[in-house]
């Protein structure tokens, strides 16, 4: 196990992660920090609420992307690339990592 220090909303959080995942976790932390920064004054509210709203905004973006992908797959001609069914587990894993990271950050 490794530890990564994330700077989110002006605070630092130590997060444990698997060896080799440090860069990925740092990138996810940067996405969260960017989302809070994009919230303007709403991102300056108390820490828990700012993280909650950032997570909700990111979940909404993920939801939109899934819906758009499903619509595109329904209207797209068959392709020789990976199918939606083949991509779904990887996308679910990414969503789970985001949720786990948000939980760890909130519990820190």
């Amino acid at each position: 196990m490794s530890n990564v220090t994330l700077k989110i909303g002006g605070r630092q959080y130590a997060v444990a992660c698997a060896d080799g995942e440090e860069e990925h976790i740092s990138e996810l932390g940067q996405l969260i920090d960017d989302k809070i920064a994009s919230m303007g004054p709403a991102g300056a509210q108390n820490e828990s609420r700012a993280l909650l709203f950032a997570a909700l905004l990111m979940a909404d973006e993920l939801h939109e992307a899934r819906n758009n992908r499903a619509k595109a797959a329904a209207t797209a001609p068959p392709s020789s690339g990976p199918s939606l069914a083949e991509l779904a587990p990887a996308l679910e894993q990414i969503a789970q990592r985001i949720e786990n990271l948000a939980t760890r950050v909130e519990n820190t």
Side-chain angles (χ1 to χ4, degrees):
M1 291 295 279
S2 292
N3 284 317
V4 176
T5 300
L6 305 177
K7 186 174 180 183
I8 299 173
R11 293 202 53 203
Q12 292 189 344
Y13 300 91
V15 178
C17 66
D19 289 335
E21 289 289 315
E22 299 88 355
E23 184 176 343
H24 180 66
I25 298 299
S26 293
E27 289 172 1
L28 294 175
Q30 185 63 52
L31 287 173
I32 295 168
D33 188 52
D34 291 346
K35 185 57 65 182
I36 289 175
S38 76
M39 293 168 39
Q45 56 191 321
N46 79 50
E47 175 185 354
S48 296
R49 290 185 64 78
L51 289 171
L52 170 65
F53 284 117
L56 287 171
L57 290 169
M58 294 175 86
D60 183 53
E61 290 173 4
L62 178 61
H63 179 74
E64 284 277 324
R66 286 178 177 167
N67 284 343
N68 290 340
R69 187 183 68 240
K71 288 175 188 174
T75 60
S79 88
S80 61
S83 70
L84 182 60
E86 292 169 327
L87 293 175
L91 294 171
E92 288 296 330
Q93 184 179 24
I94 292 168
Q96 186 63 47
R97 283 182 173 176
I98 291 170
E99 290 171 8
N100 289 343
L101 180 60
T103 301
R104 284 189 212 152
V105 168
E106 189 172 278
N107 291 332
T108 302

